[in-house]
Amino acid sequence: MKSAGLIEGGSYRPKDCQSRNKVAIILPFRNRSQHLTVFLHYMHPFLQRQQLDYTIFVVEQTDGLPFNRGMLLNVGFVEAHRSDTFQCFIFHDVDILPEDDRNVYSCPEVGRPRHMSFVIDIHDYKPVSLMFLFGGGVIAISAVDFVLANGYSNAFSGLGLEDDDFYRRIRRLNMSVARPNIPAEHLRYRTLYHDPSVDVNPNRQQLFDDGYLRFESDGLINLKYRPSDIELKPLYTHVVVDLTEDNLNLLISRPLN
Ligand code: UDP
Ligand code: MN
C-alpha cells in the first residue's frame, strides 16, 4: 500500500490529478479487529481507484462501558477537523463494504447529506425503506452540515436509534437526505458476519422520543472527552477514547476551533 502512495495515518492523495475535496472516513470501533483488517485491505484500493483524497480514522472506545457510536463519531469529527481540512465526512460502519466501484465516495453537496448503504445483502438487495434513512451503515455529510446539526447525540450509551436521532437533527434543519442517483445494482453493499450485538441500549426508545429536547444542548456543543493519543498507523489514524468514570473528572472540553 505504501508503494501505491498510501501515507502514514491512512491518507492518500492522487498523484496525477487534484481531487475536488478531501474526505475523512470515520469508523466507530471496538473489538472487531477481523472486520477492520478486511475493511482496510479492501477499502484503500477501492478509494484509490476512485482517485479520492482521503484519510481513514478509526475511533476506538477502549473502556468497558456500553458502546457509544454517536459520541465516537463526534470525537472522530473533531479530531479529523483538528488534523486537516476535510470538506466532508463519511461515517462508516466497519462491517459493511461497497461492492461496486461506481458507488462513489465523493463529498455530497452542502445541505444534501447522502445516505449510501440502503441496498444490502442481508435485505436481499431490496432498497431499504426511506423510514430507515439513517439506519446505520454509511452516510456522507459535509462538514458544514454536521456542525449545523450539532453532530450526533452523546447520550445514546449502547447501540440503537442514535442514527435515527441524527436523521431528525438533519430533518429539523429542513435539509433533505439524498440517495445516490445511480442504478441500485451499483449501490450494493455486503456485510461481514458478527454475533448480534449485546450492547443494545435499553433506554433507546425514551432517549429517541425526547431527543428533540436535546438537539441544541447535546452533541458537538457539549462534547467532552479525555484527549487521547492519536497514532498514525500505516493504514489508519487511530483515535483512542476512554469514557470510564475515572476519566469523567478529567474530561476536558475540546470545542471546535
Ligand atoms: N461496533 C464495534 N464494536 C461493537 C459494536 C459496534 O466496532 O462492539 C461498530 C462497528 O463499526 C459496527 C457498528 O459499530 O459496524 C454498528 O454496530 P453493529 O454492527 O453491532 O450494529 P448492527 O447495525 O449490525 O445492528
Ligand atoms: Mn453490524
Side-chain angles (χ1 to χ4, degrees), residues 31-199:
N31 196 21
R32 299 260 176 106
S33 56
Q34 279 182 328
H35 288 178
L36 184 59
T37 303
V38 174
F39 184 93
L40 294 165
H41 285 82
Y42 181 81
M43 288 304 286
H44 277 301
F46 174 91
L47 297 165
Q48 288 167 20
R49 286 195 297 275
Q50 297 186 352
Q51 298 197 297
L52 296 170
D53 187 334
Y54 70 88
T55 301
I56 294 183
F57 293 85
V58 175
V59 189
E60 178 170 9
Q61 186 178 338
T62 52
D63 54 63
L65 296 174
F67 193 72
N68 192 329
R69 183 169 171 274
M71 188 162 173
L72 293 179
L73 296 176
N74 286 341
V75 170
F77 175 85
V78 172
E79 292 298 335
H81 193 75
R82 274 168 194 281
S83 73
D84 205 342
T85 306
F86 294 99
Q87 283 79 30
C88 76
F89 289 75
I90 296 186
F91 298 113
H92 211 302
D93 282 356
V94 72
D95 60 0
I96 183 161
L97 301 169
E99 293 184 18
D100 195 303
D101 281 353
R102 289 166 291 192
N103 182 353
V104 181
Y105 275 45
S106 59
C107 283
E109 284 170 47
V110 173
R112 297 274 285 165
R114 192 195 294 146
H115 182 224
M116 298 171 69
S117 57
F118 59 95
V119 184
I120 313 176
D121 57 355
I122 49 170
H123 298 120
D124 295 328
Y125 298 113
K126 293 198 183 82
V128 174
S129 143
L130 286 169
M131 292 268 295
F132 301 99
L133 220 37
F134 273 161
V138 187
I139 68 163
I141 184 167
S142 71
V144 178
D145 292 345
F146 194 70
V147 171
L148 275 178
N150 190 21
Y152 281 81
S153 166
N154 300 307
F156 287 78
S157 184
L159 285 164
L161 296 180
E162 78 288 345
D163 33 24
D164 301 84
D165 181 86
F166 183 64
Y167 175 55
R168 282 193 177 167
R169 289 172 180 235
I170 297 293
R171 294 294 301 151
R172 175 172 167 265
L173 299 169
N174 285 325
M175 288 194 260
S176 56
V177 173
R179 285 177 162 181
N181 189 18
I182 55 174
E185 64 264 29
H186 301 176
L187 291 169
R188 291 180 169 208
Y189 278 85
R190 178 162 308 183
T191 49
L192 304 172
Y193 179 79
H194 59 82
D195 290 330
S197 204
V198 287
D199 244 355

Side-chain angles (χ1 to χ4, degrees), residues 74 149-155 169 214-224:
N74 286 341
N150 190 21
Y152 281 81
S153 166
N154 300 307
R169 289 172 180 235
R214 289 184 302 273
F215 285 163
E216 282 174 24
S217 59
D218 161 31
L220 290 176
I221 197 147
N222 73 336
L223 180 65
K224 289 181 177 180

